Amino acid sequence: QLVDIWTRGQQSATANEMTRNAAFHLALATSLWTFGRGFPNLRTVVPNGDRVPCREEFGGCEPGVGAEPDLVCPGVGHANCQGATMPLNAFGKDLKDAQYVWTTTLCQKDSDGDGLTNGQELGDPCCTWSIEQGFSEKLLNYATSHPGDPKSVLQESEMPECGDIDPSAEPEGEDAGKFYPNIPDGRKDFFFLQDETEKAQEFIIKQHKIAAFNTEYIDVSFNFEDEDCPDEGCHIVGLESIVDQGDFLHHYVLDGCEQTFPEHEIGHADWPRLCSFNLGAWVPGMDIFLLAPDKAGIPIGGKSALQSFQLRVHYNNPESLAGIEDSSGFRMYYTTKPRENNLQMFHLLRIVLDPIHRIPAQKERAFVTRSCVIEGLQEPVTIASIGYHAHLLASEMYTDVFRDGEHQQIWGDKYWTFDNQYIEDLMGSNKTLKNGDVVQATCVYNSMEQSLSTAFGLTNAQEMCFHSIYYYPEQSAMKCKPLSRGLTGYYIGELAPLEDGSKLYLNHPPR
């Protein structure tokens, strides 16, 4: 959904609207994504997504492993199999239109026009697969072809017969089209632990009339009230999007506030307020934008500092349609029994506005990176989750730690894409930070199609770079002291075609 970019929005905005735009993006800069348990790469939301064959002339092929074809296509929805590049192929466009969910309609469609349905090409001819099944042994025994490549076609004898795959009903009602990972071990349901009181509240925009021009930003306030919260506060354990006008809602940022707001302002567009808590952000495809770990939550209510919310919303109306009203919002899951720790967000790298650095044109793997040393911790912290944000040129992400001379990767993605921004659960992987750790946070960009260098800035035609984690226990004095001598604390360079981006600290040391 995010691939629908705007390039003339600020030209069409009034002076007041431009002020609001800047405030919104600065809020985005300090918040970005709230990270919960792992949401899928596009290959994981379709059957056999890791086993799609790649023709060499398609470009971007990688060697197959085990039951995979000799050459596999990592970017199954892209015109080039490398992924992280535009444009999308026919299947990628259909997958995007389906909100990145394997629906019966998408399964039965012949995206590439080769005479085979997408389900036949991916080993699900009867359209019974669901993401909860993962990669079953039956699916792994089937040959596959590429649903976005009309020259990649299965022979009749290779096709599975209907009935070979156990049926799995698609979600119905308000859960239809939403992705819920499997219930974590030890929980009574998706959000709550066995002994927790389950509570939820919805916060909805009151029929905002979307402006009849390309882009609009509004700020909407909500108060939180629950007399059952103890003095130390209830704990937020999950945040889920409620989307009304999905064709116009580009994304939103959610901040927490200390003050409460007058009743007449609740749910209506108003000017930005100073709210100091970064709770997260929603983008299309990310239905759940916070799932707290078992040992931590975010305090709210009672005598805690967090008492209200401000939702900073971006609408995209490229056809300038009039009369569209939106009642989107979010659902908050919380418990009256606080968990053991408070959950805290921390930015390892955050680049929004930068008048000094630019991404050079005609580079396949230009990078911006930051080396910094962790300081100020009273005890080691556990990383619960990680996520990234950048714009259209970004193609790879690497977050690494060097501790006592040893390299540990926090997370990395060599096929990151703007239209598939996800969150990654790190619980169970024992990822920690302690004083003295050297962190290397890197965004890689493919600017081969650019004739001019690209600035860092607020619009999607410019770039950003964020590496953000949620960790516990909360440590207010935690910081990451930059090792680079430059004014900004980060630096730009270029990776060789096959160079390992996770070893950047060793091959391109701070300067």
Side-chain angles (χ1 to χ4, degrees):
Q1 295 285 330
L2 286 176
V3 78
D4 299 323
I5 66 170
W6 57 276
T7 58
R8 299 184 300 277
Q10 289 189 336
Q11 297 175 4
S12 65
T14 64
N16 286 342
E17 190 65 33
M18 289 175 68
T19 301
R20 189 187 298 273
N21 292 359
F24 178 91
H25 275 98
L26 289 173
L28 175 66
T30 56
S31 176
L32 260 298
W33 316 135
T34 297
F35 309 113
R37 297 185 185 271
F39 290 81
N41 182 281
L42 291 182
R43 288 180 290 169
T44 69
V45 301
V46 299
N48 279 314
D50 276 335
R51 299 180 57 243
V52 177
C54 181
R55 294 186 299 111
E56 288 191 22
E57 53 266 40
F58 216 64
C61 304
E62 289 211 340
V65 178
E68 298 173 351
D70 292 338
L71 293 175
V72 294
C73 180
V76 63
H78 296 261
N80 184 299
C81 276
Q82 178 182 348
T85 57
M86 294 295 137
L88 301 176
N89 60 36
F91 176 71
K93 293 176 182 177
D94 288 340
L95 181 60
K96 175 188 167 189
D97 290 342
Q99 299 288 307
Y100 308 109
V101 177
W102 183 249
T103 63
T104 301
T105 300
L106 177 63
C107 176
Q108 293 176 341
K109 191 167 186 176
D110 178 9
S111 294
D112 58 9
D114 61 5
L116 297 175
T117 68
N118 296 329
Q120 287 175 319
E121 297 210 60
L122 291 174
D124 184 24
C126 300
C127 302
T128 57
W129 182 87
S130 68
I131 193 168
E132 289 80 11
Q133 293 177 342
F135 298 99
S136 69
E137 291 186 9
K138 290 182 178 181
L139 281 173
L140 289 173
N141 291 329
Y142 293 138
T144 56
S145 56
H146 195 311
D149 179 4
K151 294 183 180 180
S152 174
V153 182
L154 284 172
Q155 300 298 318
E156 187 71 30
S157 60
E158 296 177 292
M159 292 185 195
E161 295 294 331
C162 286
D164 285 352
I165 305 172
D166 295 333
S168 176
E170 293 183 13
E172 298 178 353
E174 69 175 22
D175 292 336
K178 288 197 172 185
F179 167 66
Y180 289 86
N182 293 329
I183 295 175
D185 292 340
R187 298 194 174 201
K188 60 182 173 182
D189 65 13
F190 189 65
F191 293 100
F192 297 96
L193 305 181
Q194 294 288 348
D195 59 345
E196 289 181 334
T197 302
E198 301 180 28
K199 289 207 168 190
Q201 289 190 28
E202 292 186 354
F203 302 87
I204 305 296
I205 299 169
K206 295 182 178 179
Q207 294 183 314
H208 172 71
K209 186 170 288 186
I210 300 172
F213 52 81
N214 190 63
T215 193
E216 178 190 22
Y217 296 87
I218 66 170
D219 300 273
V220 184
S221 302
F222 302 100
N223 291 330
F224 171 76
E225 295 180 9
D226 191 328
E227 295 180 353
D228 293 336
C229 291
D231 286 350
E232 62 267 37
C234 293
H235 258 184
I236 301 173
V237 298
L239 293 168
E240 181 179 17
S241 64
I242 297 174
V243 178
D244 178 21
Q245 295 292 346
D247 291 338
F248 300 89
L249 186 62
H250 188 276
H251 65 276
Y252 61 62
V253 171
L254 180 62
D255 286 343
C257 316
E258 296 184 29
Q259 72 273 34
T260 56
F261 301 102
E263 185 62 31
H264 69 273
E265 295 181 4
I266 302 303
H268 299 288
D270 205 341
W271 284 100
R273 306 303 177 91
L274 293 176
C275 298
S276 56
F277 300 95
N278 309 140
L279 300 180
W282 169 84
V283 293
M286 190 184 289
D287 299 312
I288 302 164
F289 57 102
L290 170 67
L291 180 60
D294 293 354
K295 294 183 177 181
I298 301 173
I300 186 171
K303 295 182 180 179
S304 71
L306 178 56
Q307 298 291 330
S308 60
F309 304 102
Q310 184 153 86
L311 197 64
R312 307 181 186 277
V313 186
H314 172 194
Y315 292 108
N316 191 38
N317 187 1
E319 297 182 10
S320 300
L321 300 178
I324 307 299
E325 292 186 346
D326 180 56
S327 296
S328 296
F330 65 97
R331 183 179 297 110
M332 181 186 72
Y333 299 90
Y334 65 102
T335 179
T336 57
K337 180 181 179 181
R339 294 183 179 176
E340 182 180 346
N341 299 285
N342 291 340
L343 197 62
Q344 179 68 37
M345 176 184 279
F346 186 81
H347 299 293
L348 296 171
L349 175 59
R350 180 175 60 189
I351 306 174
V352 185
L353 295 169
D354 181 357
I356 300 174
H357 296 93
R358 300 178 71 91
I359 299 168
Q362 301 292 302
K363 301 295 183 182
E364 186 174 3
R365 300 184 76 199
F367 69 77
V368 60
T369 191
R370 180 179 190 245
S371 302
C372 58
V373 180
I374 297 294
E375 296 180 349
L377 295 180
Q378 298 299 311
E379 59 181 304
V381 298
T382 297
I383 303 175
S385 48
I386 188 169
Y388 306 108
H389 176 66
H391 291 165
L392 297 177
L393 300 185
S395 57
E396 304 170 49
M397 299 287 180
Y398 302 99
T399 313
D400 302 274
V401 168
F402 294 84
R403 176 183 297 170
D404 300 327
E406 303 235 344
H407 169 229
Q408 303 175 25
Q409 185 170 68
I410 297 178
W411 189 250
D413 189 343
K414 61 180 180 179
Y415 303 113
W416 192 90
T417 64
F418 176 69
D419 60 325
N420 182 32
Q421 299 183 58
Y422 64 94
I423 53 183
E424 186 62 34
D425 170 39
L426 296 179
M427 295 307 301
S429 61
N430 195 31
K431 303 295 184 183
T432 62
L433 290 175
K434 66 179 186 178
N435 288 334
D437 284 350
V438 176
V439 175
Q440 191 79 30
T442 306
C443 294
V444 181
Y445 306 89
N446 186 334
S447 62
M448 291 298 291
E449 297 182 4
Q450 306 301 306
S451 58
L452 299 173
S453 62
T454 301
F456 290 93
L458 301 178
T459 75
N460 284 353
Q462 297 171 311
E463 271 301 337
M464 292 186 180
C465 179
F466 281 76
H467 287 230
S468 303
I469 61 172
Y470 254 108
Y471 75 90
Y472 67 87
E474 180 181 7
Q475 307 244 352
S476 59
M478 176 179 174
K479 63 181 180 179
C480 204
K481 181 179 179 181
L483 294 177
S484 174
R485 295 188 297 272
L487 293 175
T488 60
Y490 50 85
Y491 53 99
I492 282 179
E494 184 178 6
L495 293 171
L498 298 178
E499 186 176 351
D500 185 352
S502 69
K503 302 292 180 62
L504 196 141
Y505 176 71
L506 302 176
N507 299 329
H508 302 265
R511 57 179 186 267

